[in-house]
Amino acid sequence: MRLGFIGTGKIASSVITGVCNSKISFKKILVSPRNRSIAQKLKRKFRKVSIAKNNQEIVNSCNWVFLAVTPKVGKKIIPSLKFRSNQKVISFIATINLAQLKRTLGKKIKIVRALPLPPISLRKGPVPICPPNVKVKNFFNHLGIAVEISNEKLFTNFWC
């Protein structure tokens, strides 16, 4: 499995650290160059982490793509990215809901919203996910405790 992270802030860095220190089986993690300092630190610390030239390279190269940018940045960059229908997209973006993501990315792409917090780097804490998805649940159970929520309105309450 090849994991790609669009956005390299605190949350992405925490998830990547958790993944690299877990028993999750993966071939490579590709990170965006957006925050050069964090991307370089991750690359130096973990041998399976590489820095992409741009976000489309991440989409082209990875099975799972994590959207870890602010809502403002997400609305700006996501529409120009070309996803494949066999990819899984996990969005950490607070205010862009599933319907908006499906309109932008395409209805056939599997999209799950998740709310990891910084303790995920220590593989601790709950990780709400919506909608329920067995593979995403198993992934986040290696990094904490996945909490599946079927109602997006209830899921939104976790952002508060």
Side-chain angles (χ1 to χ4, degrees):
M1 176 168 44
R2 292 172 62 96
L3 308 174
F5 286 80
I6 295 176
T8 46
K10 179 65 177 167
I11 296 299
S13 176
S14 296
V15 173
I16 292 165
T17 299
V19 169
C20 290
N21 290 321
S22 75
K23 293 180 181 177
I24 293 173
S25 176
F26 67 96
K27 289 181 184 172
K28 186 175 196 116
I29 294 178
L30 198 56
V31 299
S32 67
R34 180 162 175 80
N35 185 322
R36 176 79 45 202
S37 172
I38 291 175
Q40 288 290 346
K41 283 179 191 172
L42 290 167
K43 182 181 175 185
R44 281 193 302 270
K45 189 171 181 180
F46 304 110
R47 65 178 176 82
K48 289 186 177 182
V49 173
S50 298
I51 302 170
K53 292 179 196 82
N54 56 51
N55 292 327
Q56 189 60 53
E57 180 185 356
I58 293 168
V59 173
N60 292 347
S61 304
C62 298
N63 313 81
W64 286 28
V65 178
F66 295 81
L67 302 176
V69 294
T70 64
K72 184 177 179 182
V73 171
K75 287 178 182 174
K76 181 179 175 185
I77 67 169
I78 293 171
S80 65
L81 298 172
K82 305 291 183 243
F83 290 84
R84 299 182 314 275
S85 61
N86 63 342
Q87 287 177 300
K88 191 170 299 297
V89 175
I90 296 92
S91 175
F92 300 159
I93 305 172
T95 59
I96 301 178
N97 67 32
L98 287 168
Q100 292 168 311
L101 286 167
K102 284 185 182 290
R103 273 195 304 274
T104 304
L105 302 180
K107 294 186 188 309
K108 292 185 179 181
I109 296 170
K110 297 226 183 308
I111 304 168
V112 176
R113 294 180 69 197
L115 175 57
L117 297 172
I120 202 166
S121 66
L122 304 171
R123 300 188 322 274
K124 303 275 185 203
V127 181
I129 62 171
C130 178
N133 181 289
V134 173
K135 289 182 180 178
V136 175
K137 177 184 178 181
N138 291 339
F139 178 87
F140 282 113
N141 274 339
H142 283 87
L143 304 175
I145 300 169
V147 179
E148 293 182 301
I149 302 168
S150 55
N151 180 314
E152 192 171 16
K153 193 172 188 176
L154 291 175
F155 175 80
T156 304
N157 291 340
F158 278 86
W159 290 96
C160 298

